[in-house]
Amino acid sequence: MKTRILIIEDDPHIALGLEEVLKSESYEVALCNRGDKAMEAFNRLHPALIVLDVMLPGLSGYDVCKQLRAKKINTPILMLTAKGQEIDKVIGLDLGADDYVTKPFGVRELLARIQALLRRIEKPAAESIGKESFTIGDATIDPRTFELRRGKVQEELTARELKLLQLFHGHPGEVLSRDRLLNDVWGYGYYGTTRTLDQVIVQLRKKLGDNGAEPKHLVTVHGVGYKMVV
């Protein structure tokens, strides 16, 4: 059975171009051109991955992403963002997107990112994500519900954020290189920059309440990577 990808994009030239490229790689492709039709399309098609544009009629890509994650749908989301709009990427990741590609993008980059996201869901959930709750600082993380609780604050976690937190928790005080974090969480062969990792770390610090000028828990080790300070 072919892997089905749902493209939510209102520009017909981009949508048809993506469809042609993905079909040439033996994916099954479905198209949706409105944000307010995205949930209906998802429920009908049950895709393995969603390619989601930010600017859409009806509902924005941000709203679609938020809607999907609110319903505990963990299907990987690859967002298409405008060139140079750093805030687009940060907001998308904060709302639960797994990765992003900046327009205009190369076919090779797009395919590599899609393949990396799909590899993440090939492993059974029991193998890829542990079930035991754990704490970092005053935050309690529950892998069964993908939730982080800090006092009265409750935050939703993406599968990638959860995996990063589990990795840090399992190696307290150890400096984990950016390459190792990308390989362990994004997968070997990930085609992209460490900037994606850095932006996810920023979002995790916010959720941990650790986003001051000098983070206490997820600390940057310049030129190497990050470590979790106990």
Side-chain angles (χ1 to χ4, degrees):
M1 183 181 294
K2 291 184 177 181
T3 300
R4 180 179 294 155
I5 296 176
L6 173 60
I7 299 171
I8 307 174
E9 167 65 68
D10 66 320
D11 186 318
H13 299 292
I14 295 176
L16 292 174
L18 288 172
E19 181 181 26
E20 183 178 337
V21 167
L22 293 175
K23 282 186 173 179
S24 72
E25 295 293 319
S26 298
Y27 293 111
E28 181 182 332
V29 181
L31 301 177
C32 175
N33 62 4
R34 293 186 60 88
D36 52 1
K37 298 291 184 182
M39 186 59 68
E40 176 188 333
F42 177 86
N43 289 333
R44 176 166 44 87
L45 298 164
H46 301 289
L49 181 139
I50 300 168
V51 177
L52 177 63
D53 189 27
V54 169
M55 302 299 292
L56 292 166
L59 282 177
S60 73
Y62 299 138
D63 291 327
V64 172
C65 186
K66 186 176 180 180
Q67 192 177 64
L68 288 164
R69 295 311 188 218
K71 293 183 177 295
K72 308 295 185 185
I73 295 170
N74 291 315
T75 301
I77 297 174
L78 177 66
M79 294 202 81
L80 305 180
T81 67
K83 183 178 181 181
Q85 296 298 309
E86 194 76 9
I87 189 65
D88 286 354
K89 304 164 189 175
V90 173
I91 292 173
L93 292 170
D94 194 30
L95 290 174
D98 296 274
D99 204 353
Y100 62 84
V101 174
T102 303
K103 297 179 184 178
F105 48 81
V107 170
R108 184 164 165 257
E109 178 187 8
L110 176 78
L111 290 174
R113 288 176 183 268
I114 286 174
Q115 289 161 6
L117 288 174
L118 289 173
R119 279 197 297 272
R120 191 200 81 193
I121 62 174
E122 287 176 357
K123 294 181 180 180
E127 292 181 12
S128 60
I129 297 178
K131 299 298 182 184
E132 295 298 320
S133 296
F134 58 96
T135 61
I136 295 178
D138 60 355
T140 299
I141 296 95
D142 187 345
R144 295 167 298 177
T145 59
F146 288 81
E147 290 176 349
L148 179 153
R149 292 181 180 274
R150 182 169 43 85
K152 294 182 179 180
V153 177
Q154 179 179 314
E155 301 278 6
E156 299 290 331
L157 295 171
T158 67
R160 185 159 287 158
E161 287 173 340
L162 175 58
K163 206 165 182 181
L164 274 170
L165 290 176
Q166 288 178 315
L167 192 57
F168 282 120
H169 183 261
H171 298 83
E174 181 180 341
V175 178
L176 302 179
S177 71
R178 284 181 168 83
D179 285 343
R180 175 175 179 180
L181 292 169
L182 287 169
N183 287 335
D184 286 2
V185 178
W186 274 257
Y188 286 93
Y190 169 71
Y191 185 87
T193 69
T194 58
R195 185 61 183 150
T196 301
L197 168 63
D198 296 338
Q199 289 174 337
V200 174
I201 293 292
V202 168
Q203 304 312 309
L204 280 177
R205 284 173 173 163
K206 289 179 182 177
K207 294 179 180 182
L208 288 167
D210 195 29
N211 59 330
E214 297 183 3
K216 301 187 296 294
H217 304 304
L218 299 185
V219 176
T220 301
V221 180
H222 294 289
V224 183
Y226 298 93
K227 69 176 178 179
M228 188 187 82
V229 176
V230 180

